[in-house]
């Protein structure tokens, strides 16, 4: 599907694959790639995280406030990551140890984080980051957008965690059959909590990346990021009930969505149709995947 979309847009306008536009697509996709990594971890265990977009905003605001009051960017970044990780840990504790639906817990966290971001920021953006930090959001490393390089590093580290550690095995085991995993000696509650905690920390990195791109912490940032990330994971073929999925496929899902939106803009389609096209693509991909799974059974 991704290859087909690229070929269609290339036939309509060859500049879709121009180096400048490819760089633009990678830059646009970088932040959502990091959010999709976090979403993938949670979905692989059979959960959902609807608070990701609000955590992105909350993280940027907290980091901005700390930088504003201390003048220290490293301290601001640490505070931002700590705030996102804390939200994830609370989500994971309530989901894992209290057994509350992740849909309800993270929906509540979404409203709490969004509200706190607006309160502590006073309803307006905080532009306190120095020029060198905001320049990083638009710079390049070896011809690639710097933010995309950060996204690649996050992807490689988490992919290695899932592939080469016992924690990665436990993530898929809990998602596939939590009762069987528990009977095999895996602490499924701890795994869920660790997964949400890690997802919160990763999402906070996306918030700091967005702050670098926009120049500050914006309490209204990250709107619907969580839904786009979940859509990318679904497009990548992950099972929504957990136990199945690959991180690289989620990354391809994000690139598909970014390419689709970019291609529609280049060929002159009205922006209002972007949501329609993405929704139709998501339904089509999910339907094809469902039919494939049913046939295999």
């Amino acid at each position: 599907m991704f290859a087909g979309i690229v070929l269609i847009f290339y036939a309509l306008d060859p500049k879709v694959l121009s180096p400048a536009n490819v760089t633009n697509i990678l830059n646009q996709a970088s932040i959502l790639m990091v959010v999709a990594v976090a979403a993938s971890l949670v979905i692989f265990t059979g959960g959902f995280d609807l608070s990701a977009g609000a955590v992105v905003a909350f993280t940027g605001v907290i980091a901005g406030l700390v930088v504003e009051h201390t003048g220290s960017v490293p301290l601001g970044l640490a505070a931002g990551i700590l705030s996102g990780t804390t939200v994830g840990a609370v989500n994971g504790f309530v989901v894992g140890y209290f057994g509350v639906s992740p849909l309800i817990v993270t929906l509540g966290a979404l409203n709490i984080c969004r509200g706190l971001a607006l309160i502590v920021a006073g309803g307006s953006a905080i532009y306190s980051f120095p020029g060198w930090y905001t320049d990083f959001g638009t710079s390049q490393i070896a011809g690639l957008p710097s933010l995309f390089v950060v996204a690649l590093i996050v992807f490689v580290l988490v992919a290695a965690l899932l592939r080469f550690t016992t924690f990665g095995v436990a993530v898929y085991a809990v998602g596939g059959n939590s009762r069987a995993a528990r009977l095999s000696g895996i602490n499924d509650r701890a795994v869920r909590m660790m997964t949400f905690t890690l997802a919160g920390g990763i999402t906070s990195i996306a918030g700091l990346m967005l702050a670098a791109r926009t120049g500050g912490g914006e309490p209204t940032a990250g709107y619907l990021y969580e839904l786009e990330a979940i859509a990318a994971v679904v497009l990548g073929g992950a099972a929504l009930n957990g136990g199945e999925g690959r991180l690289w496929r989620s990354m391809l899902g994000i690139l598909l969505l970014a390419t689709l939106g970019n291609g529609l803009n280049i060929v002159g389609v009205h922006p209002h149709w972007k949501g329609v096209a993405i929704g139709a693509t998501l339904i089509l991909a999910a339907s094809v995947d469902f039919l494939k799974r049913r046939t295999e059974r």
Side-chain angles (χ1 to χ4, degrees):
M1 183 176 288
F2 177 68
I5 287 175
V6 171
L7 290 174
I8 289 172
F9 283 128
Y10 180 75
L12 293 172
D13 193 331
K15 71 179 180 182
V16 168
L17 291 181
S18 67
N21 193 56
V22 170
T23 300
N24 184 39
I25 292 174
L26 294 179
N27 196 41
Q28 290 175 353
S30 57
I31 295 174
L32 276 171
M33 286 179 69
V34 175
V35 179
V37 168
S40 297
L41 279 172
V42 175
I43 290 175
F44 291 167
T45 61
F48 275 101
D49 187 358
L50 298 180
S51 66
V55 170
V56 166
F58 183 59
T59 297
V61 167
I62 294 297
L65 277 175
V66 172
V67 171
E68 184 177 62
H69 286 89
T70 66
S72 172
V73 174
L75 193 60
L77 300 183
I81 292 177
L82 179 61
S83 63
T85 303
T86 301
V87 174
V90 172
N91 286 342
F93 181 77
V94 176
V95 171
Y97 288 93
F98 289 171
V100 182
S101 167
L103 207 63
I104 301 301
V105 174
T106 58
L107 183 61
L110 181 157
N111 287 282
I112 292 172
C113 289
R114 188 70 72 182
L116 287 176
L118 289 166
I119 291 170
V120 299
S124 59
I126 301 174
Y127 297 107
S128 58
F129 291 95
W132 65 264
Y133 184 75
T134 55
D135 288 344
F136 180 79
T138 56
S139 64
Q140 293 188 0
I141 299 176
L144 294 173
S146 300
L147 296 182
F148 181 71
V149 173
V150 174
L152 280 181
I153 293 173
V154 172
F155 161 71
V156 170
L157 291 176
V158 177
L161 179 69
L162 290 173
R163 178 68 177 82
F164 300 112
T165 67
T166 54
F167 173 73
V169 175
V171 166
Y172 285 104
V174 169
N177 190 321
S178 60
R179 185 170 183 272
R182 188 164 56 252
L183 293 174
S184 299
I186 296 175
N187 187 336
D188 62 316
R189 294 179 175 179
V191 169
R192 292 187 193 279
M193 180 173 177
M194 290 173 62
T195 301
F196 272 97
T197 303
L198 185 58
I202 294 171
T203 303
S204 68
I205 295 175
L208 299 177
M209 292 167 66
L210 184 61
R213 177 188 288 178
T214 61
E218 300 179 358
T220 57
Y223 181 65
L224 293 183
Y225 273 20
E226 61 281 346
L227 296 185
E228 289 198 50
I230 292 172
V233 179
V234 173
L235 286 171
L240 287 177
N241 57 350
E244 186 176 345
R246 291 292 179 268
L247 204 57
W248 69 269
R249 289 179 175 271
S250 299
M251 299 302 95
L252 194 60
I254 284 293
L255 288 175
L256 188 155
L257 293 176
T259 302
L260 182 59
N262 176 272
L264 290 172
N265 290 335
I266 286 181
V267 299
V269 176
H270 195 282
H272 292 172
W273 285 99
K274 177 182 175 181
V276 176
I278 290 176
T281 302
L282 177 60
I283 293 173
L284 176 61
S287 299
V288 170
D289 185 62
F290 173 78
L291 292 174
K292 178 184 175 184
R293 294 176 192 275
R294 189 172 67 174
T295 302
E296 290 174 349
R297 293 195 188 101

